[in-house]
Amino acid sequence: MKRTLGTCYYPEHWDEAIWAQDAARMVELGLTWVRIGEFAWSRIEPAPGTFDWGWLDRAMDVLGNAGLRVVLGTPTATPPRWVADKYPDMFALDAEGRVRGFGSRRHYCFSHEGYRAECARIVEAVAERYGAHPALAAWQTDNEYGCHDTTISYSPAAREAFQGWLRGQYPGAGNDGDIGALNRAWGNVFWSMEYDSFEQIGLPNLTVTEPNPSHALAFRRFSSDQVVSFNALQCEIIRRYSDAPISHNYMGRITDFDHFAVGEDMEIATWDSYPLGFLEDRVGASVDVQRAFSKQGDPDFQAFHHDLYRAVGKGRWWVMEQQPGPVNWAPHNPAPLPGMVRLWTWEAFAHGAEAVCYFRWRQAPFAQEQLHAGLLRPDSAEAAGMAEARSVAQELAEAPDVGGAQAPVALIFDYDADAAWAVQPQGNGADGAGLSYFALVFDFYRALRRLGLSVDIVSPETRDFAGYRLILAPGMMHMDEGLKTALSAGSAKVLVGPRGACKTFDMAIPVPLPPALPGLDAEVSYVETLRGDCPIALENGGSFVHWRDAMEGSARVLERDANGAPAVMQGGVWRYVAGWPDAEAVLRIVWDACTDAGVEVEPMPGALRRRETGSEVFWFNYAAEEVHHEGRIFGPASVTRDTL
Amino acid sequence: MKRTLGTCYYPEHWDEAIWAQDAARMVELGLTWVRIGEFAWSRIEPAPGTFDWGWLDRAMDVLGNAGLRVVLGTPTATPPRWVADKYPDMFALDAEGRVRGFGSRRHYCFSHEGYRAECARIVEAVAERYGAHPALAAWQTDNEYGCHDTTISYSPAAREAFQGWLRGQYPGAGNDGDIGALNRAWGNVFWSMEYDSFEQIGLPNLTVTEPNPSHALAFRRFSSDQVVSFNALQCEIIRRYSDAPISHNYMGRITDFDHFAVGEDMEIATWDSYPLGFLEDRVGASVDVQRAFSKQGDPDFQAFHHDLYRAVGKGRWWVMEQQPGPVNWAPHNPAPLPGMVRLWTWEAFAHGAEAVCYFRWRQAPFAQEQLHAGLLRPDSAEAAGMAEARSVAQELAEAPDVGGAQAPVALIFDYDADAAWAVQPQGNGADGAGLSYFALVFDFYRALRRLGLSVDIVSPETRDFAGYRLILAPGMMHMDEGLKTALSAGSAKVLVGPRGACKTFDMAIPVPLPPALPGLDAEVSYVETLRGDCPIALENGGSFVHWRDAMEGSARVLERDANGAPAVMQGGVWRYVAGWPDAEAVLRIVWDACTDAGVEVEPMPGALRRRETGSEVFWFNYAAEEVHHEGRIFGPASVTRDTL
Amino acid sequence: MKRTLGTCYYPEHWDEAIWAQDAARMVELGLTWVRIGEFAWSRIEPAPGTFDWGWLDRAMDVLGNAGLRVVLGTPTATPPRWVADKYPDMFALDAEGRVRGFGSRRHYCFSHEGYRAECARIVEAVAERYGAHPALAAWQTDNEYGCHDTTISYSPAAREAFQGWLRGQYPGAGNDGDIGALNRAWGNVFWSMEYDSFEQIGLPNLTVTEPNPSHALAFRRFSSDQVVSFNALQCEIIRRYSDAPISHNYMGRITDFDHFAVGEDMEIATWDSYPLGFLEDRVGASVDVQRAFSKQGDPDFQAFHHDLYRAVGKGRWWVMEQQPGPVNWAPHNPAPLPGMVRLWTWEAFAHGAEAVCYFRWRQAPFAQEQLHAGLLRPDSAEAAGMAEARSVAQELAEAPDVGGAQAPVALIFDYDADAAWAVQPQGNGADGAGLSYFALVFDFYRALRRLGLSVDIVSPETRDFAGYRLILAPGMMHMDEGLKTALSAGSAKVLVGPRGACKTFDMAIPVPLPPALPGLDAEVSYVETLRGDCPIALENGGSFVHWRDAMEGSARVLERDANGAPAVMQGGVWRYVAGWPDAEAVLRIVWDACTDAGVEVEPMPGALRRRETGSEVFWFNYAAEEVHHEGRIFGPASVTRDTL
């Protein structure tokens, strides 16, 4: 498939006189795409019902006439002040009950019906106006759902919507739901928490001690569903006026809504890749990794998201915003090591991206992101990232095709499991925060990458695993019976645990005890969480950290800990990992699983990573130093492309 | 005295069909007691005034018929949703002004008169129904007062009640109190904080900088008194219908109300012992101790509480909830080392417990504590703690009598001093929190234990110290004249300081300067608090940390610091410790005091501890390794019982 | 000039019977000044409109008759309860929206018009009563503006006043301002943040993500201006009744309002010097420095403030409150090393203080500061600091004259730059807080002091730099064109950067890119902030930490970093430092600048510091050990005075 480049542009930020020159420079650079419009509501509709289409018409024309293809964003992430004045209660409330007001962006509650109606209106107006514009090539809904912790709102609107959602979850006679069913499902008898009606149910914040985890998980599922329906509404409207594909630009390391579910309603998934900001702010890497990769980003974090959004997009995905230089929002904001902008771009293509767009064309000299680099400086001179973007463009001009192939290994990423871990972490990690599903899954993913493997991330709704030899589903707290059956019946080996299948859908412990997997005679008798300075050594090296499942049962024990307790058990297609393995242990455990499954590995030195596309092998060296591998030398921050 | 075992059971959580089997298994295990009912309000009174006694009648019968003795809890810690709907302002407010609402437990403000009336009503209903039931053997009021930081509420109800309480503290003509007396006592002239009337007095939160410490201390005393009267009301009602003893289950390391005062109204004190959760969450131990005792608990923390509640219960006390496996609520939740459940149980008996009840019978698969172990797993199979409980039961069957004897050393624990330190810590400890009275007292207690001593903890109201050779009262900021006189007149030696007798009742510095103890010519000229990295070395070894009293006066100097300043002074019965001694110094200082007082010591190696009962000596080895002492070997996590 | 001593006294705190004795002891000690009245509103006006002048009349008389000169404070920092009852909305709101209520001090919002009117009334009453009193020698307005984080209030009153202030900043036709001008200046188009009217503008707190930095900076400037006008109102009233000089006692390390602007309206600047409290709480020193100087204070922090307030007071300045022993408000509160009270006092005189007043005369045994030392203990015996105060008094009696001379080096301190850094730190320091202008400037100041230099701090409004050979203006984000011109035209060399002149007045990036200084062909292409473990080594030693400006241009490169990038560039009068130098680098860079400018340096060993006054050289050894320098020995905590 041919791969293309683009950028994010804000005509409303600049004098109209330079639009044409900007467009020409974009084309000269080799860009195909330009994304516009997603923050421009106050210019499109300066007053309620008063539209100013002129400037946007001209911008579309200028860009289109230059040969660029426009991705048009719906402006719903930044409602203007007059919208907020119309709906003073449209804001989200945080967990402390504070109103998250006007003055930046994403200042809305997904559950507010009035705001939803405003969104429908502005989306329809934009879609109607540009749905058939010749430059219009794709849509983006809103911007970075969930960014700035905006998925979950504790507003009155959210409470009322949650009650309605619960009625649907526990349906009764008529429309009022079965409150007894809810009480039983949640075990509300526990502390006399039983409700007499759905109207009594509050949000699970500001309780004296922890709320019922069933209550908390339900609220997270509801909050995720609100994002899904908010987005679906926009898609439905756009489709009335346009055949162009619809996308949303997900933000990295946002897991508090189900991206698979949101993605169902769109043709393309895109994500916003800020490797340096993420390393500082979100990866959760050790201090050693943060220091070593301060100017490169974590060697596996981008790839993880590439593989994730390939799944979310059902094969079609982009990087909608690619960091081209220092950003402004992380605890520290260094400049990328020379070569990294090119590396990041090629890595996206190697993982299947159709397009990579740099954020942003020109650094804005004003407002919140004035210290966020663009391809151009505020004075329109070229910034450091521009030359690397040009290199990629030239390389693409010579060889735009990159292959794509199914990986031998699949990793199930389950947003619902992430919510369940967040609701009931049962222990803290090194940073003092609760143990995180993402962190666990990422440890397994990193091990796969250190073994030189290409990986497909798949949804927990997947039932057809044909072509995979090994499937990993670590930490999946609730496992649907359909999935259990599909995996059991398949030919692939399956690695699960810790906390595998340990909860019912309603967040209770099932009896018989977990994991209750067909063919695996093993059960978790109890669990324990561990201090950082109290790891449990494994007899084959490495340790369990954070978490241990105490196992019983007759299944084959593949590994034991130093106390003789089972660490890995096997039966049927299943391999159960009874704890959270550290870096040494996870590499061995995954390696063993690969060997057992017939998956060939090629261990990587240092921060060298490889990706097979079917037609080629890419090598990415994230290190600031060269690395040697099988007689070859890979330079620092380098990309190497071998044709197969 | 004969010692017995029990468990905590929630018939409302389980199918009625298994109650009889559960009861039979309890009896088979050797249990005497079963506590029920304390969270069951929503099942006892599902709607206002509508009672459903049937299930509880049957549960009482089933348990009683099996031969178990029932401890019945009043359900006031978990008011149902309909109570909260009736009194929307019944909730506590936290120091930030946020409502602490429905959805878990302990969601009430002690000062809310409406809720108090509801409590009186439900307690009367329960007491009337079961006061004469043959299975009814004891009562428990509410559950874990103060747990989840619920003693202190900044609600409007609390403010109004505080104003009334202050009128009583500073009585004037009529009912309105003497506001001038309050202004003078508090020194409100200081920053023009003088009040014209009691109605003007607010709660000491959300002030611009620290509130007046006299104000803050008064509010803590008020808050403590509210717990006392809340509990007394329940006791008074129960006694109308029942002759069974009344108890409350205090939570460990809760010091923000006066347990002695609450205990005055009841026959038995009980406490809830979670050694592993406490070590992680509340002991304040060093990281080294936390790591070494992660699966055993702090070697002195349980004993401290045993000794404390023996005093609170005026000799009669239980462990009402004993941890039998991992819990769910600490930062990390490891499983106990094998042997510890038995050790913890026997240690309670060695310190005089009448009964030890395991919490809980069966692990609940639902709601907040679903990862809290029970004696049974959720599938009713035996959990790891069951075998140890059975061992204890068998040992008790063979030798249920354990002696009890006055210790040679008394330690005064003063809840009011704890409040005074909290109000005016004057410096931070290693964890960045204000210096803590509990931590200071516990350091002295640990030293006594490391010297092999049995200890009696006594109330500051004690005036008869007959039988004691040494009395410790470290950190007692206000010392009543009656206590000073009683101690001065006694035959025991008395160790006091730092901060000894340094405040008037109203939290001012007395003139003449402290400690002003009869027979001790010493005064504190000024105080200083110390950085963790700036200890003051003592000439005999060890250091003062955190706190130093700069001493003047002609009293004999027993020790000096490296600068030549007095570190320990002696006069009359008194020995004044002029700083917070570190582990090395406190051991020597206490040892010297023992020698001087004629108390024989037996220094313990490692985490070995001993307890004399008059008729026997118990040895408890908290270490995970064996320890050698005087030619004997004590195994890891072991209990050894020598008959004298 | 002759130097004098004084103390702070609260007649309302003590029995009137001892006033005369106190006054006599003050005079005997050698004190000239006594400050009174600043917290006494509730005694001056116990009820609305009811004044009790008697006690204050007598206090003025007693003190005056003893020969003391009175500094009288306006009592507006502590409005009585009845004022708060009259204006329930007079309180500030914190950034979280919580009311900062009654019960301590400084409980008012500067923007509340009702409270301003009350202040005008009480100030007029006091000024009228005592403006011509023979003992009245000076005035103090309010107390420690900004202390306890009270400059900035997020109250409704502040919001309304801010809107009015903005109308003045962006004036339009009529009185309503030009909202379009504001939108353009702030770049509100960025995220559709455009306003239709000034009424829509909120305060920049509780936004979903960071507010517009232009918005935030404007609000800080507004908040500063509110302090200026609040103070100016008091000065204007006082002047109607009195010719005595007016002062305000600024608190150390408060930078969130413009002290130069406030100081414009008064004759004398004073500040409150608590070296030990500051070191623990506010200096931001390394743990090593905190440990080494725990009982002495930071060796440069007091001097910095002395030099700063000499500028704020246009030459006339005092220490109004000098720590004489332990304080009560820092995380740890040690006692000063013997000698330090004398050292601190003499250091103030060496830097030009007219007077030093000890806070306080007698330690109060009650209320918030009961553990704050005075010259007397609560029992009226002499506290440790008294002897040192007496030494100074005796030394002054022998030689009260201390010289004063312009320093060779000027350092520009710009409160507006401090606000700009706070609004847009772009990175965190070692403590996890945003990078701080004060910390940067203080690093340069410390380097000057380590080179043995006397320093004049000057306002950014300065245009006449005659007499200076070197001017430092590190981190000055916005540089007025007038200042650029004045510096360019002067004979002094000027050191600027990092972040030099990097913003327009409205907090945008200027084009052409910064610093755009006449004669310096250099521009900052981009900036980056650095992890603490990722410093950038400099080829000549030391490193850039925290911050780097990536430079382009043809100006002469004086130093490079280890990657070859320019670290220091020179052109015209300018020397641009392209990063935040660590201790080693800043010393060399400043030394080189001195050499270039013809400023002679004398590097100091350890914590020895020197100050030239024109007629003498003072040496201050802040170390707890003696130090050797050029064949002389300086004792610990010593002052040495060499006459030139």
Side-chain angles (χ1 to χ4, degrees), chain A residues 189 192 194, chain B residues 9-14 16 19 36-46 51-63 72 75 129-130:
Chain A
V189 64
S192 279
E194 292 167 300
Chain B
Y9 187 58
Y10 299 90
E12 71 273 24
H13 292 181
W14 310 108
E16 194 166 334
W19 293 357
I36 66 170
E38 83 275 14
F39 297 133
W41 193 340
S42 73
R43 289 295 170 94
I44 295 172
E45 190 182 11
F51 291 90
D52 178 1
W53 296 114
W55 71 271
L56 188 50
D57 290 350
R58 294 191 295 278
M60 292 285 291
D61 292 345
V62 164
L63 296 167
L72 186 58
R129 182 100 189 162
Y130 300 108

Side-chain angles (χ1 to χ4, degrees), chain C residues 13 33 68 127 135 213 246 257 284 326 359 378 449 476 548 554 579 588:
Chain C
H13 292 181
W33 305 94
L68 294 160
I246 307 176
F257 64 91
F359 180 89
R449 296 258 296 167
M476 196 170 172
R548 185 174 87 94
S554 67
R588 179 189 64 247

Side-chain angles (χ1 to χ4, degrees), chain B residues 41-159:
Chain B
W41 193 340
S42 73
R43 289 295 170 94
I44 295 172
E45 190 182 11
T50 305
F51 291 90
D52 178 1
W53 296 114
W55 71 271
L56 188 50
D57 290 350
R58 294 191 295 278
M60 292 285 291
D61 292 345
V62 164
L63 296 167
N65 291 341
L68 294 160
R69 308 189 65 191
V70 174
V71 182
L72 186 58
T74 68
T76 51
T78 50
R81 182 71 232 183
W82 61 259
V83 176
D85 289 347
K86 184 171 176 187
Y87 301 109
D89 62 346
M90 67 170 278
F91 302 113
L93 263 62
D94 70 14
E96 308 299 312
R98 294 169 300 205
V99 174
R100 305 185 71 193
F102 187 87
S104 59
R105 61 176 182 177
R106 302 208 53 71
H107 40 279
Y108 67 84
C109 173
F110 280 100
S111 297
H112 192 276
E113 291 299 332
Y115 185 58
R116 285 201 177 212
E118 287 294 320
C119 289
R121 201 181 48 72
I122 188 70
V123 169
E124 178 148 19
V126 171
E128 186 175 13
R129 182 100 189 162
Y130 300 108
H133 191 285
L136 189 281
W139 294 93
Q140 175 183 296
T141 56
D142 202 271
N143 184 77
E144 293 179 348
Y145 292 138
C147 193
H148 317 305
D149 197 17
T150 51
T151 300
I152 295 172
S153 164
Y154 296 91
S155 71
R159 178 176 173 162

Side-chain angles (χ1 to χ4, degrees), chain C residues 188 296 350 549 618:
Chain C
N188 280 338
Q296 304 107 281
D549 288 329
F618 283 91

Side-chain angles (χ1 to χ4, degrees), chain B residues 159-448:
Chain B
R159 178 176 173 162
E160 190 181 334
F162 180 48
Q163 292 169 350
W165 182 91
L166 287 169
R167 285 188 185 91
Q169 293 283 307
Y170 301 97
N175 288 322
D176 199 37
D178 178 348
I179 195 69
L182 179 145
N183 284 326
R184 287 188 297 277
W186 293 8
N188 280 337
V189 63
F190 190 69
W191 281 342
S192 278
M193 297 175 292
E194 292 168 300
Y195 298 102
D196 305 315
S197 74
F198 286 86
E199 284 74 23
Q200 288 178 325
I201 301 174
L203 301 183
N205 62 322
L206 296 177
T207 49
V208 173
T209 182
E210 57 173 340
N212 189 327
S214 299
H215 184 182
L217 181 60
F219 182 60
R220 288 195 167 244
R221 286 171 174 162
F222 155 77
S223 299
S224 176
D225 281 0
Q226 294 298 90
V227 181
V228 174
S229 63
F230 182 91
N231 185 71
L233 174 63
Q234 298 205 5
C235 294
E236 186 270 322
I237 294 167
I238 291 169
R239 289 218 168 78
R240 290 186 220 151
Y241 300 96
S242 176
D243 297 328
I246 307 176
S247 68
H248 175 74
N249 62 326
Y250 303 96
M251 185 59 172
R253 190 60 186 93
I254 299 281
T255 53
D256 57 6
F257 65 91
D258 187 338
H259 296 200
F260 291 117
V262 173
E264 274 303 308
D265 294 310
M266 296 180 287
E267 286 77 16
I268 302 174
T270 80
W271 81 288
D272 296 347
S273 178
Y274 294 96
L276 305 193
F278 291 147
L279 179 64
E280 273 291 312
D281 206 33
R282 304 193 186 184
V283 171
S286 69
V287 166
D288 283 348
V289 168
Q290 287 186 307
R291 183 177 51 229
F293 297 98
S294 168
K295 292 169 105 46
Q296 303 107 280
D298 183 276
D300 299 300
F301 193 78
Q302 288 68 247
F304 181 93
H305 285 80
H306 296 337
D307 292 341
L308 175 64
Y309 290 108
R310 197 171 59 246
V312 170
K314 297 153 287 181
R316 292 198 63 186
W317 73 280
W318 298 15
V319 172
M320 188 61 91
E321 301 183 9
Q322 173 59 59
Q323 175 173 9
V327 300
N328 65 300
W329 46 264
H332 307 93
N333 294 296
L337 199 66
M340 289 310 300
V341 174
R342 176 173 167 259
L343 185 154
W344 294 329
T345 308
W346 271 110
E347 192 177 39
F349 290 139
H351 285 258
E354 297 182 358
V356 174
C357 300
Y358 298 99
F359 181 88
R360 52 191 278 157
W361 174 246
R362 184 188 293 104
Q363 182 177 349
F366 47 71
Q368 277 90 339
E369 295 182 351
Q370 57 186 255
L371 294 182
H372 191 302
L375 291 175
L376 301 185
R377 309 191 314 191
D379 63 355
S380 296
E382 293 195 4
M386 183 79 147
E388 300 195 28
R390 182 172 286 117
S391 294
V392 177
Q394 290 166 347
E395 288 158 358
L396 284 178
E398 291 160 22
D401 286 322
V402 178
Q406 186 174 356
V409 180
L411 175 73
I412 299 176
F413 189 81
D414 181 10
Y415 289 93
D416 197 62
D418 188 77
W421 279 74
V423 157
Q424 189 185 69
Q426 178 67 7
N428 287 349
D431 58 356
L435 297 177
S436 142
Y437 171 74
F438 178 89
L440 176 73
V441 172
F442 191 56
D443 282 354
F444 279 88
Y445 180 81
R446 194 192 289 282
L448 290 167

Side-chain angles (χ1 to χ4, degrees), chain A residues 130-200:
Chain A
Y130 300 110
H133 192 284
L136 190 281
W139 293 92
Q140 174 184 297
T141 56
D142 201 275
N143 185 75
E144 293 177 349
Y145 292 136
C147 194
H148 317 306
D149 197 16
T150 51
T151 300
I152 294 174
S153 165
Y154 296 91
S155 71
R159 178 175 173 163
E160 190 181 334
F162 180 47
Q163 292 169 350
W165 183 90
L166 286 170
R167 284 186 185 92
Q169 292 284 308
Y170 301 97
N175 289 324
D176 199 37
D178 179 349
I179 195 67
L182 179 145
N183 284 326
R184 286 187 297 277
W186 293 7
N188 280 337
V189 64
F190 190 68
W191 281 342
S192 279
M193 298 175 292
E194 292 167 300
Y195 298 102
D196 305 315
S197 73
F198 286 86
E199 284 73 25
Q200 289 179 322

